[in-house]
Amino acid sequence: PSRKPVLKSRTTSPIKLGDETLNSAEALWTRPAQDISEEQYGEFYRHSSHAFDAPWHVMHNKVEGTLNHTSLLFVPSTPPFDLFDAERKSHVQLYVNRVFISETTTDLIPAYLRFLRGVVDSQDLSLNVSREMLQSDPKLAQIKTQVSKKVLSELKKKATKAADDYTQFWRNFGAVLKEGLVEDPSSRDRILELCRFDTTGDDALTSLSDYVERMKEGQEAIYYIAGEDAGKLAKSPHLEGFGAKGVEVLLLSDHVDEFWLQHITEFDGKPFKSITRGTADLDQVKADNQTDDQDKPDEADLSALIGVIKAELGETVKDVRPSKRLTNSPVCLIADDGDMDVNLERLLKRHGQLQDGAPRVLELNPTHAVISKLAERAKLDGAGSDELLGDAAHILFEQARIIEGETPKDPSDFARRLGDLMAQAFGA
């Protein structure tokens, strides 16, 4: 039977011209780290990676024992152009005894560390094997585990000792590293320690440990809101009640966020909770300088209005209820407890994995002037046939959709109702 082809290889034996070694940089990883300058590391990184930037961090490590290998790995200063390619290829070169084997060995570096560049050289792998046999070699799997742990350990040191510098790394590669929360269960705790998040607190990124330390008295959950743009998320009406109470909310804007949250439900005993799903349990949270007898804004009785809106919107909404999360905006839409989060539903629809989402809950702000006026009108006789209330119900629903970045389900109908309402307001 024919044998699978032997891997193409190249050696790194030095080429000399007189007393000068022409290609010594190719085997730089074999030299002691203390004998290598920053400039030499930078030159090797640019040469081997075809890069133009300087490395953000250099990791030169030699492991001796039952399995010997040397790694010289670099974290780039700028994201490589193919960082988010669908193939998610590694570009760390594999050598065996200084003989080049491959640049894209699937089982050498996990996909969530694909931003790494550099070399791994092992003395214990066999040269005379096919690519398929090499990738199933348990020794290679062991090297992968050891290298991954070392990289995560090095990143933790940087995050601890140079927080500002680490911010640059996180902005470049954080979305990729978080993929490991889904793909590498054995490393979740290590990766979670490295994660940094935008929040409503200030402009600086925060770790989960620091977030938990700042939690308000009575706060039982780690609150977050997920979407596509942290800047837009920071303006969401869902945040209003949390801001009024001084409750910090994580702003999650990477696509992977919704998926790792399906696997990790708590941190340090505190559950993660989306502020766009379920009721806003803020009653037990005490705001700064708040006293028990602090005056609260007058809340309108919405029972009649809720009845009118439910009758008008029907199955378009799952429920209509007063809101505890709104302070300035009149309405918002949320997913009910047990239903899929709003942003996850949006992502699945976009990728064709979901056709129709569950109806959402429409929340009304009982302290908003417009809602108060509508509530009074809903108490009058004949409210059930009041065209203005009917138009208002649809406009409020579509307004809540627009705030979330969606378009009206029927733009023509929305425009007509809005025009009719404006005409009545101006006595036209």
Side-chain angles (χ1 to χ4, degrees):
S2 60
R3 185 177 180 182
K4 294 179 180 178
V6 174
L7 296 176
K8 179 182 178 182
S9 64
R10 65 169 180 257
T11 65
T12 58
S13 301
I15 300 172
K16 294 201 173 190
L17 179 62
D19 294 330
E20 182 182 1
T21 301
L22 299 181
N23 68 336
S24 60
E26 290 190 19
L28 189 73
W29 64 89
T30 65
R31 295 164 52 187
Q34 62 267 25
D35 296 340
I36 305 173
S37 67
E38 182 178 342
E39 290 73 20
Q40 289 173 314
Y41 276 132
E43 179 185 354
F44 179 85
Y45 161 71
R46 285 184 287 272
H47 172 74
S48 63
S49 306
H50 309 291
F52 298 97
D53 60 334
W56 175 79
H57 187 53
V58 179
M59 293 169 278
H60 193 175
N61 186 48
K62 186 173 184 179
V63 175
E64 295 179 324
T66 56
L67 184 62
N68 302 298
H69 68 271
T70 300
S71 59
L72 175 53
L73 301 174
F74 303 90
V75 178
S77 295
T78 57
F81 72 93
D82 61 347
L83 187 63
F84 290 101
D85 279 1
E87 294 183 353
R88 303 196 304 160
K89 288 183 178 179
S90 163
H91 292 286
V92 173
Q93 300 170 5
L94 175 63
Y95 283 76
V96 176
N97 284 316
R98 297 174 62 186
V99 176
F100 175 77
I101 302 298
S102 174
E103 187 176 359
T104 57
T105 304
T106 305
D107 292 330
L108 177 61
I109 298 295
Y112 66 89
L113 296 179
R114 62 185 176 274
F115 52 82
L116 292 173
R117 297 296 186 265
V119 169
V120 174
D121 189 352
S122 173
Q123 295 78 52
D124 297 319
L125 296 174
S126 173
L127 281 170
N128 194 28
V129 292
S130 68
R131 187 181 303 274
E132 290 80 7
M133 290 174 65
L134 178 64
Q135 291 178 346
S136 62
D137 191 327
K139 292 180 181 178
L140 186 64
Q142 188 176 346
I143 291 174
K144 176 182 179 179
T145 298
Q146 292 176 343
V147 170
S148 300
K149 286 182 178 179
K150 182 62 177 178
V151 171
L152 296 179
S153 175
E154 287 288 310
L155 290 176
K156 183 177 180 180
K157 290 178 184 177
K158 290 285 286 185
T160 302
K161 297 179 180 179
D164 291 341
D165 197 21
Y166 185 75
T167 295
Q168 176 192 351
F169 162 81
W170 187 258
R171 294 296 189 194
N172 287 334
F173 305 115
V176 175
L177 186 61
K178 280 189 288 187
E179 293 174 10
L181 294 172
V182 179
E183 299 172 356
D184 189 359
S186 65
S187 298
R188 277 179 187 161
D189 290 343
R190 296 186 186 92
I191 298 172
L192 208 57
E193 289 180 344
L194 297 172
C195 290
R196 297 294 182 267
F197 302 93
D198 288 300
T199 80
T200 55
D202 54 43
D203 294 333
L205 294 174
T206 187
S207 67
L208 290 175
S209 295
D210 289 342
Y211 176 98
V212 170
E213 286 185 5
R214 295 193 298 267
M215 284 175 60
K216 307 288 293 184
E217 180 183 349
Q219 182 181 344
E220 299 295 334
I222 298 172
Y223 293 107
Y224 71 89
I225 181 171
E228 297 181 350
D229 185 294
K232 291 180 180 178
L233 289 177
K235 300 176 183 177
S236 171
H238 295 90
L239 294 166
E240 292 172 359
F242 294 85
K245 291 271 190 172
V247 175
E248 191 172 5
V249 178
L250 303 180
L251 307 175
L252 307 184
S253 56
D254 294 321
H255 287 174
V256 71
D257 287 323
E258 286 286 7
F259 298 101
W260 68 258
L261 283 162
Q262 308 305 309
H263 299 270
I264 302 174
T265 58
E266 65 173 36
F267 176 81
D268 196 19
K270 307 294 183 181
F272 289 101
K273 184 166 185 179
S274 170
I275 67 168
T276 62
R277 180 167 58 189
T279 56
D281 48 352
L282 293 173
D283 287 343
Q284 73 275 24
V285 179
K286 189 173 183 180
D288 294 333
N289 302 319
Q290 178 183 335
T291 59
D292 293 336
D293 58 352
Q294 184 178 18
D295 292 336
K296 295 181 180 180
D298 292 334
E299 295 187 358
D301 176 10
L302 302 185
S303 55
L305 178 61
I306 287 174
V308 170
I309 293 177
K310 282 184 176 181
E312 182 67 30
L313 297 182
E315 294 183 357
T316 305
V317 292
K318 185 172 185 178
D319 195 10
V320 182
R321 63 192 182 209
S323 177
K324 294 184 178 180
R325 77 191 76 223
L326 296 173
T327 59
N328 300 318
S329 301
V331 290
C332 72
L333 282 168
I334 65 159
D336 204 5
D337 279 322
D339 289 342
M340 187 180 299
D341 191 57
V342 172
N343 188 57
L344 179 58
E345 179 182 297
R346 187 182 297 122
L347 287 174
L348 294 178
K349 285 181 179 178
R350 181 175 303 166
H351 289 88
Q353 298 180 29
L354 184 69
Q355 295 299 320
D356 299 311
R360 301 181 199 165
V361 175
L362 180 66
E363 289 196 347
L364 310 178
N365 181 358
T367 66
H368 194 277
V370 169
I371 301 299
S372 296
K373 290 290 185 182
L374 291 173
E376 291 301 316
R377 189 176 180 111
K379 295 176 183 178
L380 301 176
D381 293 338
S385 58
D386 188 333
E387 291 186 2
L388 185 146
L389 285 177
D391 286 340
H394 288 276
I395 289 172
L396 289 172
F397 174 74
E398 298 296 357
Q399 179 182 353
R401 286 172 50 84
I402 292 170
I403 289 173
E404 292 183 357
E406 300 180 18
T407 57
K409 290 188 174 183
D410 187 338
S412 297
D413 182 71
F414 173 72
R416 179 189 63 77
R417 291 181 187 278
L418 184 60
D420 290 346
L421 199 65
M422 292 178 67
Q424 291 191 51
F426 290 107

